[in-house]
Amino acid sequence: MYYEIGYDDTTGAIYAPADQSFVAAMVKLAGAEAITTGDPASYQIPLETLITRDPQIIVLGTNPFYNPTPESVLKRAGWSAMTAVRNKDVRPVNDIEITRPGPRLPIGLRSLAAAIWPDITLPPAP
């Protein structure tokens, strides 16, 4: 599962969770394995690495400053090689609830789990 932290349309730079990062830990708590950058100090991941890891699901961490749509991801050059893009399994979530430590983390974890596992029934958020 690939959690997109960011993408630069002009350069094609892709940003994913760093190894052993808080975001990677949240993905694991939600019951999935995060595709990480391979470096604990870097959030940039080459497209070739992402294609090789072939995510089944892409979760877009959106916020007021970064708001991609699943449709825009499906149109990115070279991304059609990934299973998640071919199957249109690209799902947005509220990044602020997931990546900012604080009292909203349980809500963020629930939102992340619902994006990864859309067919499960989760109890209502508190």
Side-chain angles (χ1 to χ4, degrees):
M1 190 235 100
Y2 167 59
Y3 186 97
E4 183 170 278
I5 294 171
Y7 177 80
D8 187 328
D9 289 325
T10 57
T11 65
I14 307 165
Y15 301 95
D19 287 12
Q20 302 173 1
S21 67
F22 181 76
V23 176
M26 286 289 283
V27 170
K28 186 173 184 172
L29 285 170
E33 181 181 337
I35 292 175
T36 61
T37 61
D39 182 341
S42 175
Y43 284 87
Q44 193 165 354
I45 187 170
L47 178 58
E48 296 79 14
T49 301
L50 193 54
I51 289 172
T52 300
R53 299 283 308 272
D54 191 24
Q56 305 299 302
I57 300 166
I58 296 173
V59 175
L60 302 172
T62 65
N63 62 57
F65 303 104
Y66 182 68
N67 198 14
T69 64
E71 295 76 25
S72 67
V73 172
L74 299 177
K75 294 177 185 175
R76 292 179 185 166
W79 285 56
S80 63
M82 291 181 265
T83 300
V85 173
R86 286 194 310 273
N87 294 340
K88 298 180 181 175
D89 283 328
V90 181
R91 307 165 187 157
V93 294
N94 183 342
D95 182 70
I96 293 171
E97 296 172 349
I98 296 165
T99 62
R100 311 267 187 326
R104 292 178 288 198
L105 282 182
I107 295 167
L109 182 57
R110 185 182 187 286
S111 297
L112 183 58
I116 296 169
W117 311 104
D119 296 333
I120 65 168
T121 302
L122 296 170

